[in-house]
Amino acid sequence: MAHIVLFGNEKGGSGKTTTAMHLIVALLDLGFKVATLDIDLRQASLTRYIDNRKKTIENEKLTLLQSAHFKIAEDYNINNSIEYTQKDIEELENLITKINTEYDFIVIDTPGNDNILNRHAHYLANTIITPINDSFVDVDLLGKVDPKNYANAIPGIYSAMVWEQKKHRALRKKEEINWIVVRNRLSSIDVINKRNVETAITHLGKRLGFSIAPGFGDRVIFKELFLHGLTLLDTKKSNSKIQMNPSVVTARQELRDFIRSLNFAEVNKKL
Ligand SMILES: Nc1ncnc2c1ncn2[C@@H]1O[C@H](COP(=O)(O)OP(=O)(O)OP(=O)(O)O)[C@@H](O)[C@H]1O
Ligand SMILES: [Mg+2]
């Protein structure tokens, strides 16, 4: 059975698609068979990222690894709308059941908003990875924090949704969902905010049952890679415009630390 990894956070722009693409290529590089699904049918940024990669491969005659990307709206009859139906949920389940035995990993990118398809995809995941920007505006979706005492917090809207899916999964499938929060776009100058957010999410993690992965700095390179469909792992293989510099070297190390911290049993065997 495939390990289903979902990138989720109802906060838009937190880094779901960027982090998902990096994990996808890291898994491919390790020799895994990876299927990818983009249930953010409106923005379809992961699909665009993957299409850009295909174009770079063709134009530059490169041999970069690619995932098997399933276009769920075009090929699997899932509504391209905000209002999903039970039929859409069934189509998604059927597709995942069909490909489950063919791949080592199924990586799902989701939209930054709530809908029933997104909820159901969370229920289907073995692992949920939630990137958050280093700001209390983002933390609020995980937990509403008391500014006088960060240990006092009540679940935010996204945490409540994940919690609900965890409960369903435990009841129906007798399986747990492993939930990991990763901090993204960390600033190198905003030290006090960084420490406060860290304290708050450490408390929240204990209460809400997520672990915290080491994060990624705020780096221009992430914005440049998308158009070429490349990741930090491809910079050496491609003759494209991605320049190696100290920031890229550090970012690559952050990516390695992130992959390691996920502690996936399949990956640990290969590291
Ligand atoms: N570590 C980073 N440093 C700098 N920019 C980043 C970083 N991670 C992501 N970005 C940029 O931040 C923006 C949002 O990232 P991304 O699209 O991955 O987030 P998302 O959670 O998928 O957003 P949405 O909810 O809209 O789908 C993009 O412009 C991306 O290039
Ligand atoms: Mg996205």
Side-chain angles (χ1 to χ4, degrees):
M1 287 300 220
H3 182 155
I4 303 176
V5 184
L6 175 141
F7 284 80
N9 188 349
E10 281 173 39
K11 186 81 176 64
S14 59
K16 295 178 287 294
T17 303
T18 307
T19 321
M21 190 64 178
H22 278 80
L23 178 66
I24 291 162
V25 174
L27 294 173
L28 289 168
D29 271 359
L30 287 168
F32 291 111
K33 287 172 80 180
V34 184
T36 47
L37 304 183
D38 185 356
I39 67 160
D40 184 356
L41 296 177
R42 279 177 80 77
Q43 290 190 29
S45 305
L46 183 70
T47 304
R48 301 267 306 131
Y49 209 145
I50 287 170
D51 284 348
N52 291 345
R53 186 172 182 85
K54 208 166 275 166
K55 283 189 205 124
T56 296
I57 290 170
E58 283 161 17
N59 296 343
E60 294 188 30
K61 312 261 177 297
L62 295 174
T63 47
L64 300 176
L65 296 170
Q66 295 179 80
S67 63
H69 189 58
F70 291 83
K71 294 197 171 174
I72 62 168
E74 288 165 37
D75 302 339
Y76 295 91
N77 240 345
I78 291 177
N79 242 330
N80 187 1
S81 75
I82 308 170
E83 295 294 326
Y84 294 98
T85 61
Q86 192 56 34
K87 184 185 147 291
D88 297 316
I89 288 177
E90 280 161 24
E91 296 281 356
L92 180 68
E93 278 240 31
N94 291 344
L95 171 62
I96 288 182
T97 308
K98 201 173 111 209
I99 64 177
N100 222 332
T101 50
E102 285 174 50
Y103 295 92
D104 302 308
F105 284 91
I106 300 173
V107 179
I108 307 176
D109 191 25
T110 67
N113 64 281
D114 182 27
N115 64 55
I116 58 167
L117 191 70
N118 194 1
R119 284 181 180 225
H120 197 74
H122 278 70
Y123 159 77
L124 294 173
N126 301 104
T127 301
I128 295 172
I129 300 177
T130 300
I132 63 162
N133 283 325
D134 225 33
S135 149
F136 277 100
V137 179
D138 278 44
V139 174
D140 205 55
L141 278 79
L142 293 179
K144 298 189 189 307
V145 176
D146 176 354
K148 294 198 201 85
N149 181 359
Y150 293 163
N152 279 345
I154 54 166
I157 50 162
Y158 181 68
S159 291
M161 190 278 275
V162 170
W163 196 247
E164 197 185 316
Q165 304 317 317
K166 276 186 165 212
K167 243 177 20 198
H168 285 310
R169 192 174 170 102
L171 273 172
R172 288 196 220 150
K173 296 194 186 226
K174 310 268 177 282
E175 282 174 2
E176 282 188 26
I177 301 176
N178 177 24
W179 186 17
I180 302 165
V181 168
V182 55
R183 291 163 76 192
N184 190 28
R185 305 192 70 169
L186 292 162
S187 155
S188 52
I189 43 176
D190 200 359
V191 183
I192 296 172
N193 175 64
K194 207 163 151 180
R195 203 177 47 219
N196 288 344
V197 171
E198 181 164 355
T199 309
I201 61 168
T202 304
H203 283 301
L204 280 173
K206 285 188 193 131
R207 278 204 59 187
L208 303 171
F210 59 75
S211 60
I212 302 162
F216 297 94
D218 193 354
R219 300 178 197 286
V220 181
I221 179 75
F222 286 106
K223 299 188 179 121
E224 296 170 344
L225 291 164
F226 171 81
L227 266 189
H228 308 287
L230 297 172
T231 66
L232 291 166
L233 296 165
D234 307 306
T235 43
K236 287 183 184 154
K237 291 170 215 148
S238 158
N239 50 2
S240 64
K241 310 82 203 158
I242 310 300
Q243 299 287 326
M244 283 304 271
N245 61 40
S247 172
V248 175
V249 174
T250 312
R252 284 166 60 97
Q253 187 54 44
E254 286 170 349
L255 178 61
R256 280 191 287 269
D257 292 343
F258 167 67
I259 304 290
R260 231 173 252 280
S261 76
L262 297 176
N263 205 16
F264 289 167
E266 311 88 326
V267 170
N268 288 347
K269 281 185 214 149
K270 300 213 181 199
L271 289 177

